[in-house]
Amino acid sequence: MAPSEKSNLLPTNANGLQSTSVPPSDSTRMVLYSSHFFAQWAERMWEFSISLFLIAIAPQSIFLVSTYGLFQCLMIIMTGSYAGNYIDTTARMRAVRIILLLQNGSVVICSLFCYWLLFAESDGDIDESHSHDLVPPAWAAKMLAGVPKDSFSVMAIVLIHIFGALGAVFSQASTVAIEKDWVVVMSRGSSTWLRETNVMMRQIDLGCKVMAPVMAGVVMSYGNISEAALCVGLFNCLAIVVEFICTKKVYDSVGALAEAREVREAGAGKAKAGSFLHSLQAFFSQNVWGAGVALSLLYLNVLSFGSLMTAYLSYRGMDSSMIGFTRGVSSTIGLLGTFVFHYSSPKLGLNKTGLWSIWMQAACVGVAFLSIYIADSNTSLSMLVGGVACSRVGLWVFDLSVTQMFQEEVAEYERGVVGSMQSVLNQFFQLCSFAMGIVWTDPAKFNILICISFSGLLLASVLYSLNIAMK
């Protein structure tokens, strides 16, 4: 085993030695994978669709896409420490069930509002006669160009933002609870089992990124975009049922999940438990905090086939099915990263695997950066899409490396707090990316966002390299 794979904080027995208990059977792990598949399919379908729903509502601007992402990030930042403390202090089964119910329920409600607004627009039922009460000031008129301003549409847009953000909050909480706590407990101290499970769960995630957007794009291209909103809502209803059944089976099969967690030593940390300061202290007290900050800086990158880039590709003339296809190709390429990680980490260790992967990502995104200087539109677009797609290999190898570092190094009593603070940092930088989208709402100025994204990635690469050099 590579030195970086040794862990002092995986499950231990009463004598303080690393547990030698056997991890759960393959059948139990398959149940976990089934739950993860439905969760990721529903999430990726919604993640892809919502940006296109918002673009359909206001096709002349990326303002709604940016405000939606901005509000979503703010909600996660404001509630992250409380969510982490809730996960650490609540019985595992109860916490996961409540989180899953609120997550999927929020998305269902949000999809219904999207359906209502999109159906009303396509049917010509939106009444602009009351929009005179909502006339924006001159400085905001350009940003709000094309955004419906009648009272009912504004109400629907506000509720889409609120319930969409709540869905994102509970989605992050679900990821922390399952991937940062349940999976570690189930591993029973086996780094090999942990690595294999991380890789398979990431492959499921990327597989859903391949197929879910393609299917959503097909529905929108050959059906009605409002019907796509209903499809997303219906699938989330199905997902909650499957996830409830699967998590219960896993919980019943792994007795360790019902055991009480380790207790934090008295007097450890000066900040009040559950507070933002407490979560921040817990995060930066970890040996792997530098890797976590480097990972969070990658969320400043808009070159990721996320909502802003999706909106930009739509502006450049790509139809929804082609955008879904290119996003799927990108995720397929990213799957290579999971296989590469599986072979690289045992041989090189997590630290060196993370090092080469983040610099590989920087090199590929550099190609996308150079595309802004190419005059030919087709060549420029090919370099942009190709560079971003190829960068997925490095991204997912680095993501898996940092994920396992945290799983192996963070103590059981603060996995929720530290995992949630990582999500908060991720969302802070993603919030910055959406803020850039609000400042530069004109898709023609997307090149500015590309420059900032590339600079952030270079900073992350340098930070991680320095962190490794100092170890």
Side-chain angles (χ1 to χ4, degrees):
M1 180 183 295
S4 62
E5 285 192 304
K6 294 179 181 179
S7 170
N8 297 322
L9 292 174
L10 287 172
T12 56
N13 58 26
N15 297 319
L17 301 175
Q18 195 170 93
S19 173
T20 56
S21 300
V22 179
S25 64
D26 287 342
S27 60
T28 300
R29 190 152 56 168
M30 286 301 297
V31 175
L32 176 68
Y33 294 157
S34 298
S35 175
H36 189 64
F37 168 78
F38 275 87
Q40 290 303 310
W41 186 281
E43 182 175 348
R44 299 310 173 188
M45 201 172 186
W46 171 251
E47 181 186 83
F48 172 75
S49 299
I50 184 60
S51 59
L52 294 181
F53 294 159
L54 294 174
I55 281 291
I57 293 168
Q60 300 176 29
S61 173
I62 59 173
F63 179 78
L64 289 183
V65 176
S66 299
T67 55
Y68 178 86
L70 185 68
F71 187 66
Q72 175 178 288
C73 293
L74 281 172
M75 284 286 286
I76 294 174
I77 291 170
M78 290 189 297
T79 61
S81 59
Y82 300 103
N85 187 64
Y86 176 77
I87 292 168
D88 284 337
T89 58
T90 307
R92 288 186 172 98
M93 190 71 248
R94 176 180 172 80
V96 165
R97 282 198 163 181
I98 291 175
I99 289 170
L100 290 177
L101 181 62
L102 293 173
Q103 174 195 350
N104 289 277
S106 297
V107 173
V108 169
I109 294 172
C110 193
S111 65
L112 289 175
F113 280 112
C114 286
Y115 168 76
W116 176 82
L117 188 54
L118 291 166
F119 181 80
E121 281 206 340
S122 64
D123 235 26
D125 291 340
I126 290 183
D127 181 11
E128 294 282 355
S129 62
H130 300 290
S131 62
H132 61 277
D133 294 328
L134 301 170
V135 175
W139 62 268
K142 187 175 181 180
M143 287 195 301
L144 295 172
V147 177
K149 301 176 185 65
D150 64 286
S151 301
F152 293 107
S153 295
V154 170
M155 178 194 71
I157 290 170
V158 169
L159 291 174
I160 287 170
H161 279 60
I162 292 173
F163 283 103
L166 288 174
V169 167
F170 295 118
S171 174
Q172 292 290 329
S174 172
T175 299
V176 170
I178 298 296
E179 297 185 20
K180 301 297 193 297
D181 184 34
W182 281 46
V183 170
V184 180
V185 173
M186 292 170 69
S187 74
R188 308 310 296 156
S190 171
S191 290
T192 300
W193 189 95
L194 194 60
R195 180 176 63 250
E196 291 173 351
T197 304
N198 286 337
V199 167
M200 180 55 70
M201 292 182 76
R202 196 63 74 240
Q203 288 173 345
I204 291 171
D205 185 6
L206 291 171
C208 291
K209 278 190 172 184
V210 172
M211 296 307 300
V214 172
M215 291 193 65
V218 168
V219 172
M220 293 178 200
S221 296
Y222 297 100
N224 189 300
I225 193 169
S226 60
E227 293 172 355
L230 281 183
C231 289
V232 172
L234 288 173
F235 192 85
N236 273 269
C237 292
L238 174 62
I240 185 61
V241 174
V242 175
E243 289 178 75
F244 264 48
I245 294 172
C246 290
T247 51
K248 179 69 166 103
K249 286 187 176 180
V250 170
Y251 185 82
D252 291 341
S253 300
V254 183
L257 291 172
E259 295 175 2
R261 291 182 174 85
E262 296 175 1
V263 179
R264 185 180 180 88
E265 294 180 10
K270 298 180 180 180
K272 180 181 178 182
S275 68
F276 180 81
L277 182 58
H278 166 259
S279 299
L280 207 60
Q281 288 177 343
F283 181 86
F284 282 101
S285 68
Q286 307 300 319
N287 293 328
V288 291
W289 71 266
V293 173
L295 179 63
S296 66
L297 277 167
L298 302 187
Y299 283 76
L300 183 63
N301 183 16
V302 299
L303 301 175
S304 61
F305 288 101
S307 55
L308 286 176
M309 185 170 172
T310 297
Y312 177 66
L313 293 177
S314 179
Y315 163 79
R316 290 284 295 266
M318 277 193 179
D319 62 33
S320 56
S321 60
M322 181 56 69
I323 294 173
F325 175 75
T326 55
R327 180 170 176 162
V329 169
S330 171
S331 296
T332 302
I333 294 174
L335 277 169
L336 291 174
T338 63
F339 292 103
V340 173
F341 171 81
H342 185 71
Y343 289 103
S344 177
S345 59
K347 297 180 183 299
L348 300 179
L350 295 175
N351 289 335
K352 290 182 180 178
T353 297
L355 186 62
W356 72 254
S357 60
I358 193 170
W359 280 107
M360 176 189 175
Q361 184 186 2
C364 293
V365 172
V367 174
F369 167 72
L370 291 175
S371 72
I372 67 179
Y373 298 104
I374 304 300
D376 182 75
S377 179
N378 290 333
T379 303
S380 173
L381 194 58
S382 297
M383 288 179 64
L384 174 64
V385 173
V388 172
C390 291
S391 73
R392 303 298 89 181
V393 174
L395 170 66
W396 291 113
V397 172
F398 185 71
D399 176 83
L400 283 165
S401 299
V402 175
T403 294
Q404 190 158 339
M405 287 178 195
F406 274 79
Q407 287 174 326
E408 295 188 352
E409 296 297 330
V410 178
E412 182 180 19
Y413 61 80
E414 55 185 2
R415 285 176 193 150
V417 166
V418 173
S420 293
M421 183 49 60
Q422 177 68 62
S423 295
V424 166
L425 290 174
N426 294 348
Q427 295 305 310
F428 170 76
F429 286 105
Q430 191 161 38
L431 181 149
C432 293
S433 73
F434 285 115
M436 292 188 300
I438 291 177
V439 174
W440 293 286
T441 56
D442 185 353
K445 296 183 178 179
F446 192 76
N447 288 351
I448 298 174
L449 279 62
I450 293 176
C451 294
I452 296 173
S453 297
F454 183 54
S455 300
L457 181 51
L458 287 178
L459 177 61
S461 302
V462 171
L463 175 63
Y464 182 79
S465 299
L466 291 174
N467 183 252
I468 296 302
M470 291 187 294
K471 284 189 176 182

